[in-house]
Amino acid sequence: MISLAAMATVFRKLLGALPRMGVQVVDLGPGAAVIARRGGLSARKVGADAWMVGGRRATAAPVVGRQGPWGLDKATASRLCARHVAGLLARYEVNCVFDVGANKGQYGKQLRKQGYRGRIVSFEPVPDSCERLRAAAEQDPDWRVYACGLGRKASTEQMHLGWKTMNSLLKPSDYGQRRYRRFADTSTAEVRIRRLDEVMDEAMAGLADPRPYLKMDTQGFDLEVFAGGGERLGEFVGMQSEVAALRLYEGSPRMTDAIAAYEQEGFEVTGMYPVTREDTTGRVVEFDCVMARAYAVPGEDGPAA
C-alpha cells in the first residue's frame, strides 16, 4: 500500500519534471496544480481553496483539490452573497444586524469589510467560539456579544459540540452522518437559550430609529430562532437564513417550509446563494437565502400588490 506521504512526494517530483518537457506548471498548494502545454498561464486565488485560472491561448486543466470541482463556484457564491447583503443593508438603511449563530465572528468581520458601519449584535452559545468572538469584537465599539443562543422559548438545552462550525442543538440526520465523518464523534454541553423578542430592546438601546436585519446560521435551528421573534418580527426590514435543500440535522425544516414561513411574515426573496454542494452529484445541500420587506425601502411605497 502506498502512503499518502509517498503519493505527495511523487506528485511534487512530477511537477518539477514537467517544465523540462515544455509544460508550464502553476503550483496551487497541497494536492492541486494547473498545467498547460503553452505559456501565458496565470492563476489567481479567489477563495480558501479556489483559484481563477486563465491563459493566452493555453489549454489548462486543473487538478481538483480538496473542495472538488465546485470550489470556484463556492468562492464566487460567497463573494456575491456578501456583496448582495452589503447592498441590501445600505439600500434599506439597516443600522442593527442581529448575527445569530456568530461562531467566531466571521460574519461580523465580513460586514465590516464590506463597509457596514452600523451596530452588530452577535449571539454564540458555544464557550470556546464565544471567547474568540469576543476577541474579534473587542476593538469595535458598536459590536456587542451575547453568550447564548436564541430559540422559540427561553431554556437550557444540550448542544452537540466537536463539529467545528457545524455545532448544533439538533442531532445529525442519516444523510448528515453519511456526508460528514465529524458527526460520528460528539460531546454535549448545556447552553442558554433566549427568545429574540426578549433581547431586542437591550440590543437596540440607544438607536433613535432602529432598522434591524436578522441573520441566522444555526445549523438547522433557524426557524426556531425566527419563531422566538413573535410579534416583533415585523420590526425587521430584512433577513438572511441558511436553508437546507438536503437536511443535515434531524427535525430541521425543509427549505420550502422555511421560506414559506418567512414569506408568511412578509419577507420576499432577494437572493439565493449555494453554500455547499455534493462533490459527486453537484446537488446543493444548503443555500444562503436573503430576504427583505419591499415596502420597507426608505422613500418608497413598495411594489403594487
Side-chain angles (χ1 to χ4, degrees):
M1 180 179 294
I2 301 176
S3 69
L4 292 176
M7 291 176 64
T9 300
V10 171
F11 179 74
R12 291 290 155 200
K13 287 183 177 179
L14 176 60
L15 291 184
L18 287 174
R20 295 194 294 272
M21 301 165 60
V23 177
Q24 184 182 356
V25 176
V26 178
D27 190 353
L28 304 179
V34 181
I35 61 174
R37 289 178 295 177
R38 297 180 178 88
L41 182 65
S42 63
R44 179 169 61 87
K45 195 165 187 178
V46 296
D49 196 29
W51 295 261
M52 183 74 74
V53 179
R56 178 173 55 83
R57 300 181 61 190
T59 301
V63 179
V64 176
R66 294 186 303 276
Q67 295 297 331
W70 317 108
L72 182 57
D73 287 18
K74 180 178 179 180
T76 302
S78 177
R79 287 191 171 201
L80 289 174
C81 184
R83 293 186 64 178
H84 177 82
V85 169
L88 195 74
L89 298 184
R91 185 69 184 91
Y92 283 76
E93 298 182 3
V94 169
N95 56 11
C96 186
V97 173
F98 284 74
D99 172 21
V100 187
N103 195 245
K104 295 174 287 189
Q106 300 94 315
Y107 186 80
K109 290 178 182 178
Q110 183 183 79
L111 289 179
R112 294 302 192 219
K113 184 177 180 180
Q114 292 293 329
Y116 173 71
R117 295 293 175 260
R119 181 171 300 174
I120 301 172
V121 186
S122 293
F123 298 84
E124 176 53 52
V126 179
D128 290 347
S129 297
C130 191
E131 183 177 346
R132 297 183 67 175
L133 170 63
R134 289 188 188 280
E138 186 176 13
Q139 301 301 318
D140 192 324
D142 214 8
W143 186 351
R144 303 181 179 186
V145 174
Y146 284 75
C148 67
L150 297 182
R152 185 180 297 268
K153 62 181 180 179
S155 62
T156 300
E157 303 290 342
Q158 292 291 324
M159 190 161 195
H160 299 276
L161 306 179
W163 300 343
K164 299 180 180 179
T165 60
M166 300 179 70
N167 296 326
S168 178
L169 288 161
L170 304 176
K171 296 179 180 179
S173 66
D174 290 341
Y175 171 76
Q177 292 181 71
R178 292 195 300 271
R179 179 172 172 81
Y180 291 108
R181 286 181 293 179
R182 70 184 69 173
F183 286 153
D185 298 317
T186 185
S187 59
T188 59
E190 281 193 350
V191 297
R192 184 187 181 191
I193 304 298
R194 301 175 68 180
R195 282 179 58 93
L196 175 60
D197 55 9
E198 172 200 347
V199 300
M200 286 178 63
D201 285 339
E202 180 183 346
M204 297 190 295
L207 297 177
D209 181 22
R211 295 184 61 81
Y213 177 89
L214 176 62
K215 168 265 179 183
M216 299 175 290
D217 182 3
T218 60
Q219 306 305 313
F221 210 66
D222 286 12
L223 209 52
E224 296 296 300
V225 174
F226 192 74
E231 294 182 357
R232 300 199 64 176
L233 289 172
E235 299 177 32
F236 289 89
V237 300
M239 60 160 288
Q240 180 176 346
S241 174
E242 194 171 83
V243 295
L246 300 171
R247 292 187 291 180
L248 298 172
Y249 303 94
E250 285 186 9
S252 62
R254 296 185 181 278
M255 177 175 70
T256 51
D257 294 335
I259 294 176
Y262 303 146
E263 289 179 333
Q264 189 172 354
E265 290 293 334
F267 295 99
E268 297 174 282
V269 175
T270 65
M272 294 282 287
Y273 299 91
V275 176
T276 50
R277 292 180 184 269
E278 288 183 334
D279 287 347
T280 52
T281 67
R283 292 190 301 174
V284 176
V285 179
E286 297 166 309
F287 288 92
D288 265 331
C289 177
V290 184
M291 309 182 79
R293 300 183 191 277
Y295 59 81
V297 176
E300 300 286 340
D301 294 330

